[in-house]
């Protein structure tokens, strides 16, 4: 089957073989699993990239993506194929469990290791790591001095840049309590919501493809990876759960999306302790550098 889109004076065809080639590339580069039902969505979003690059066919676009100097276009591809939908304190039960269960365990380990680490993997535009930071600083105002930090990563450099900026339309503040708004945010000159320097001090933002090597070591006291694995096939998901398990400290928590479940080898060490929440029960996490 072939779809077409208007552009440059004529229609641009999108065949089944074009879709399979895009799917294969997305799987190999980013671990994305594009089901056949996604073909209209892929077609709609990528046709805009063809127009932006003034290309007349999907084979031409695929050839462009294979060029070594077109890394930015490959990132445009992943940005087009994924959706960054998030909010402050989304699925708030995770932050409550982090506060009531995760932090006491982390504080105990802190006495021995002298460090505390939390990872927001797939941080999108930053609402998740800033929510983690507010929750943390409300319990431990001197977290920065105590060597407690949050790593926030995402594959999309544009979305990471927005997260690092930490400025949001004021209507996005609805999930933040009045107390937290007072203590951890400020209004900008354009009447937007800005994140405080105390939050920024404990968060490190970075670009990261979860399918690649991870240029850091654990252990992490908690990992948030929510609504990311839904883009992966089961084999890739299970490999990711196992890699997260290796990165968690004994007793550390893993939080995943509401439609996701941990399966595979990681279930031998990760035990469900709440709604889409898991605790590592084994030992042997790698030591931090």
């Amino acid at each position: 089957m072939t779809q077409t889109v208007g552009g440059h004076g004529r229609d641009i065809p999108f065949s089944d073989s074009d879709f399979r080639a895009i799917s294969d590339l997305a799987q190999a580069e980013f671990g994305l699993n594009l089901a056949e039902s996604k073909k209209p969505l892929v077609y709609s979003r990528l046709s805009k990239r063809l127009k932006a690059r003034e290309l007349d066919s999907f084979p031409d676009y695929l050839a462009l993506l294979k060029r070594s100097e077109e890394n930015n276009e490959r990132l445009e591809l992943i940005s087009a194929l994924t959706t960054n939908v998030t909010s402050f304190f989304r699925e708030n039960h995770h932050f409550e469990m982090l506060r009531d269960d995760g932090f006491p365990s982390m504080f105990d380990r802190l006495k021995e290791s002298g460090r505390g680490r939390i990872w927001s993997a797939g941080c999108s535009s930053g609402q998740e790591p800033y929510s983690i930071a507010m929750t943390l600083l409300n319990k431990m105002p001197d977290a920065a001095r105590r060597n407690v930090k949050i790593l926030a990563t995402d594959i999309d450099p544009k979305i990471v840049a927005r997260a690092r900026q930490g400025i949001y339309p004021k209507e996005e503040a609805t999930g933040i309590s009045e107390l937290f708004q007072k203590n951890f945010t400020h209004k900008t000159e354009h009447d937007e919501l800005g994140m405080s320097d105390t939050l920024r001090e404990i968060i490190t933002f970075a670009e990261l493809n979860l399918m690649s090597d991870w240029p850091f070591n654990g252990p992490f006291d908690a990992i948030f990876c929510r609504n990311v694995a839904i883009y992966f096939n089961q084999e890739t998901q299970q490999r990711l759960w196992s890699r997260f398990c290796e990165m968690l400290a004994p007793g550390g928590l893993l939080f995943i999306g509401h439609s996701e479940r941990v399966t595979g080898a990681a279930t031998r060490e990760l035990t469900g302790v709440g709604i889409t929440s898991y605790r590592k029960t084994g030992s042997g996490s790698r030591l931090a550098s």
Side-chain angles (χ1 to χ4, degrees), residues 10-122:
R10 67 179 183 82
D11 289 339
I12 300 176
F14 186 49
S15 66
D16 288 343
S17 62
D18 292 335
F19 174 73
R20 285 193 295 271
I22 291 287
S23 298
D24 291 345
L25 177 63
Q27 173 69 46
E29 290 268 346
F30 310 114
L32 296 189
N33 181 41
L34 298 177
E36 187 72 28
S37 61
K38 298 284 188 181
K39 185 181 177 184
L41 176 66
V42 171
Y43 172 67
S44 172
R45 293 186 176 182
L46 292 190
S47 63
K48 298 174 185 177
R49 294 307 309 157
L50 269 71
K51 291 179 180 180
R53 298 304 301 267
E54 299 184 347
L55 298 172
D56 292 317
S57 74
F58 278 88
D60 286 346
Y61 184 61
L62 283 158
L64 180 143
L65 288 169
K66 293 177 181 177
R67 297 177 189 168
S68 58
E69 68 272 18
E70 288 291 347
N71 184 58
N72 284 343
E73 186 58 42
R74 288 190 287 276
L75 294 174
E76 291 285 356
L77 171 71
I78 188 67
S79 183
L81 295 179
T82 56
T83 304
N84 290 292
V85 177
T86 187
S87 60
F88 288 100
F89 293 94
R90 185 181 185 185
E91 298 180 46
N92 191 50
H93 57 91
H94 285 159
F95 299 98
E96 292 174 348
M97 175 164 283
L98 180 67
R99 179 196 65 204
D100 298 336
D101 192 334
F103 286 162
S105 298
M106 183 177 78
F107 296 160
D108 286 342
R109 287 189 292 270
L110 188 61
K111 297 173 185 176
E112 299 179 5
S113 66
R115 67 187 294 282
R117 293 293 184 271
I118 301 171
W119 182 11
S120 171

Side-chain angles (χ1 to χ4, degrees), residues 8 67 112 145 148 152 155 178 183 192 201 216 245 281:
H8 313 303
R67 297 177 189 168
E112 299 179 5
R145 185 176 61 81
V148 180
I155 194 172
E178 289 186 11
N183 291 343
E192 294 175 303
E201 186 180 11
F216 46 80
C245 193
T281 56

